[in-house]
Amino acid sequence: MQRHRPALRSSLLWLPALLGFGAAALAQAPAPPSADTLALSFDAARARMLDRSDKLAAARAAVDAKELQRQGLQGLGGPTVSISGLAYAYNANLNLDLDPLNQKLGQAGAMLPPSLQGFVSRLPIPQLPNSYTLNRHDTGANASVSAVWPLYLGGATDAVRGFVSAQTREAQADAEQAGHEVDTLLVQRYFSAQLAQRAALLRAQAERTIAQHDAAAQKMLAAGVISRVERLQAGAAYEEARRNARKAEDDAALAAVALARTVRAEGSVAPQTPLFILSTPVEPLGYFIDSALVRHPGLGKVAAKKSQAEQLHEGEEALRRPQVIAFGTRELKSGNADWVAGVGVRWSLYDSVDRNALSAASLKQIEQAERTDAQARSDIALLVERNWRALENARRQYLEMKVSVELAQEVLRLRTSGLREGTSTTLDLIDAETNQAKVLTERAQAANDYVQALAQLLESAGLSDSFSDYIARADVKVN
């Protein structure tokens, strides 16, 4: 290449703007959102999602259903008063056989004294019909009021109310968990869309730069200052840059669709809150573990399950105890109305169901819930520690990549100067351009890893709603 340097210098005089294009293009700001694009900050996107999320609406509906059920059973075990009425009509027929009576009448004279038998025999004795049908029909109405009041049911009603209340708390824990999950999902899609957009921009800018280098290489080949192999290498680099740009564009489009669906937007969404980093560590690990053991919805659900098991056990025990009820009923009519009132007692002395086995089963369910709670606390503490360490690793990785970015920029500067001086080739400059885009994308990815790890940490600690506070505290913005 030494003998080509003068020719190379002269052939590149027509490229005064090209050689410094790469670094300037990579620092170019993205275009402003179009008219049909919804520009949203993270807080605005979160408010929109919380208002329109079907998952949250379903969770709230489940809580409302259980709460209404709990309210509906608050009076369980109280008096029940009912009124009943009836109207009736009837027709009754009774067939009477009169043959035996006729026979008795015919034999009645033989039972008289002899002096009267002759007299009676001269009297005509009428004959009754062989049968006779009696008919009775009538209509009527009746109304009464009745009351039943369970005085003592062995605690069964309290167990039912307690069980439904525990189900309500379980639904509330599920709703809280759903809230944390949609917050984390929003963080994932919001900042991933921003990262994908940034990567697509860097890849597109690299493609445009390398395209101009490829065109320059073609002219240099025609001028005889580079070999055909170098020309093919430049063309292959351009084709790779095109493929990378198309893939990054597709990834950005898919990420934008996912974000728009998450916030229920009709068009596209332009994230306005940049990726961020807290250059100093967040709160210590113990802070997040303590918060998780108090606020994690999973522990609330396990506690609700344990309460349900306890109430089932109480219900089983209540069936062993006597039941006492008061009752009364009275006809609704003026005058001398019929009525009845009293107290009833019921106590099962023998039951075909094995109550001892059922009671033991409910105690095992309580033990299961206690064991589950202990395991959940251990698992949640481990999850929090894993997420906390992932956050710290992402923070350190981002800060340490500053040297890589500076190196890539310096290499690009040297390759640009070297191409002017004839000490570098076009392929060297293309490699430097590609490497800078790659390093910038990787550092943005490290920032996204930090944001996603922060969201995971806050979810595991039950602090997802404080994500915006960390945005406000961030001292590094990846614009």
Side-chain angles (χ1 to χ4, degrees):
M1 286 294 294
Q2 294 295 328
R3 66 175 182 272
H4 291 300
R5 283 183 181 175
L8 179 60
R9 292 194 188 98
S10 62
S11 66
L12 293 177
L13 293 177
W14 59 273
L15 294 173
L18 172 61
L19 298 177
F21 177 80
L26 289 173
Q28 179 181 350
S34 60
D36 59 343
T37 299
L38 182 62
L40 291 176
S41 67
F42 178 80
D43 288 339
R46 183 173 185 269
R48 186 182 179 96
M49 179 201 65
L50 293 179
D51 183 59
R52 304 187 181 196
S53 171
D54 291 331
K55 184 173 184 177
L56 290 181
R60 286 192 292 265
V63 173
D64 292 342
K66 289 299 181 182
E67 180 62 28
L68 291 172
Q69 187 178 19
R70 185 190 66 81
Q71 294 176 7
L73 294 175
Q74 282 301 301
L76 183 67
T80 300
V81 180
S82 61
I83 186 171
S84 61
L86 60 90
Y88 60 89
Y90 69 90
N91 180 69
N93 294 313
L94 178 62
N95 293 321
L96 299 177
D97 185 7
L98 299 181
D99 283 341
L101 183 58
N102 284 330
Q103 295 176 3
K104 294 294 183 181
L105 290 175
Q107 298 172 359
M111 300 174 61
L112 296 175
S115 57
L116 296 177
Q117 289 181 2
F119 176 74
V120 172
S121 62
R122 293 193 295 269
L123 294 176
I125 298 176
Q127 291 291 316
L128 297 175
N130 294 332
S131 64
Y132 184 76
T133 301
L134 295 176
N135 177 264
R136 182 69 183 270
H137 60 273
D138 198 359
T139 60
N142 180 272
S144 62
V145 60
S146 302
V148 176
W149 192 340
L151 301 178
Y152 177 73
L153 295 179
T157 54
D158 292 336
V160 172
R161 285 193 294 267
F163 183 82
V164 176
S165 295
Q167 285 185 321
T168 303
R169 293 194 297 275
E170 180 183 359
Q172 291 170 344
D174 288 338
E176 291 178 11
Q177 182 64 40
H180 291 307
E181 289 174 354
V182 297
D183 275 336
T184 302
L185 179 65
L186 177 63
V187 171
Q188 176 189 347
R189 293 185 175 178
Y190 185 91
F191 291 101
S192 293
Q194 190 175 106
L195 174 65
Q197 182 183 8
R198 180 181 180 85
L201 175 63
L202 291 171
R203 293 295 186 184
Q205 290 168 345
E207 179 193 3
R208 290 193 296 270
T209 303
I210 295 173
Q212 297 191 36
H213 292 335
D214 181 64
Q218 178 63 35
K219 293 182 179 181
M220 293 166 67
L221 176 65
V225 295
I226 63 173
S227 67
R228 179 171 176 77
V229 171
E230 291 177 297
R231 171 67 189 94
L232 292 175
Q233 288 175 331
Y238 174 56
E239 289 301 322
E240 182 180 4
R242 286 184 59 189
R243 290 194 301 271
N244 291 336
R246 298 293 84 76
K247 182 178 185 304
E249 183 180 357
D250 290 341
D251 292 343
L254 181 60
V257 169
L259 176 58
R261 297 252 177 106
T262 302
V263 299
R264 295 294 188 271
E266 296 296 332
S268 58
V269 176
Q272 299 299 296
T273 301
L275 289 162
F276 62 91
I277 294 286
L278 276 71
S279 60
T280 57
V282 295
E283 292 83 357
L285 176 61
Y287 168 81
F288 293 101
I289 291 180
D290 292 342
S291 175
L293 296 181
V294 173
R295 303 185 58 173
H296 196 285
L299 297 178
K301 182 170 183 176
V302 172
K305 288 290 189 182
K306 179 183 177 183
S307 180
Q308 292 175 37
E310 291 171 343
Q311 297 304 323
L312 285 174
H313 179 70
E314 288 298 319
E316 290 291 344
E317 293 300 309
L319 296 178
R320 299 172 179 265
R321 304 181 184 114
Q323 302 170 0
V324 182
I325 63 170
F327 63 91
T329 183
R330 186 185 186 281
E331 283 187 305
L332 293 177
K333 71 176 184 178
S334 59
N336 189 19
D338 294 335
W339 62 271
V340 63
V343 176
V345 178
R346 181 179 181 273
W347 194 352
S348 297
L349 300 179
Y350 173 78
D351 195 338
S352 59
V353 176
D354 190 342
R355 297 294 175 190
N356 292 328
L358 294 179
S359 178
S362 59
L363 288 174
K364 286 296 182 181
Q365 288 180 322
I366 296 175
E367 180 183 353
Q368 177 190 5
E370 292 173 346
R371 299 283 187 176
T372 302
D373 179 75
Q375 184 64 48
R377 289 178 179 276
S378 176
D379 292 344
I380 289 172
L382 180 60
L383 176 63
V384 170
E385 182 168 356
R386 186 186 71 181
N387 292 335
W388 186 84
R389 294 185 182 278
L391 179 67
E392 278 300 291
N393 288 335
R395 182 186 68 85
R396 289 194 297 267
Q397 181 180 3
Y398 178 84
L399 296 177
E400 292 166 358
M401 288 186 70
K402 180 180 179 181
V403 177
S404 298
V405 173
E406 293 175 350
L407 175 61
Q409 292 172 345
E410 181 64 17
V411 169
L412 178 60
R413 187 187 67 79
L414 291 176
R415 292 292 179 260
T416 302
S417 300
L419 188 59
R420 288 194 183 99
E421 299 297 328
T423 59
S424 299
T425 66
T426 303
L427 187 60
D428 292 334
L429 182 58
I430 290 174
D431 289 342
E433 296 278 3
T434 303
N435 182 64
Q436 178 173 260
K438 174 176 174 292
V439 170
L440 291 174
T441 301
E442 288 177 348
R443 198 178 193 209
Q445 178 63 58
N448 186 58
D449 291 343
Y450 178 89
V451 170
Q452 303 303 331
L454 176 61
Q456 294 288 343
L457 174 62
L458 295 179
E459 179 185 345
S460 61
L463 297 170
S464 292
D465 54 354
S466 65
F467 185 84
S468 296
D469 297 337
Y470 289 86
I471 296 178
R473 289 168 49 187
D475 56 342
V476 178
K477 307 288 186 180
V478 186
N479 293 315

